[in-house]
Amino acid sequence: MNNIKKYLVSVLVSICIVGAFGIPLGDPKFFIQAIALESSFMALVVLSLKSFRYAYLPNFIIAGIVIVGNTASPKHLEIMSTLHPFYNAIVLIVGGYILQGLLLVTNGIALKQYKKTK
């Protein structure tokens, strides 16, 4: 496995870890949706380890959906802007923007490298 693929998988695993901390902090009525999202990131970890060819498009799509969803949610914007509750705000900022942006960047670099080897 090349270095950029290791970084990509590391970012996906980091997103899963932050999400695992964030699920209990979130609204209980969205528990099923949160589990589904975390399951999709776990599936992306497995896909990225097995064959990057099948994972690059879903990586872009899911990262984009998470960023847009966090930005479109008034409750999320309120939590992030007021930092109240503090732990929720940190999870939203780190998991919803920083790691998702890092996923987009590493996925783009991995895709560029993948296309170059083809």
Side-chain angles (χ1 to χ4, degrees), residues 81-101:
S81 63
T82 62
L83 295 178
H84 182 74
F86 184 71
Y87 294 117
N88 286 17
I90 296 301
V91 166
L92 283 170
I93 293 167
V94 171
Y97 290 100
I98 295 172
L99 289 174
Q100 298 301 325

Side-chain angles (χ1 to χ4, degrees), residues 9-58:
V9 170
S10 298
V11 169
L12 286 166
V13 169
S14 300
I15 290 170
C16 291
I17 291 169
V18 170
F21 284 114
I23 288 174
L25 298 173
D27 193 344
K29 68 181 177 186
F30 296 115
F31 182 74
I32 301 298
Q33 291 88 343
I35 294 294
L37 183 64
E38 287 307 308
S39 299
S40 68
F41 279 113
M42 288 180 209
L44 287 174
V45 169
V46 173
L47 274 175
S48 294
L49 282 171
K50 293 233 179 229
S51 175
F52 175 71
R53 182 176 68 155
Y54 300 115
Y56 72 88
L57 191 58

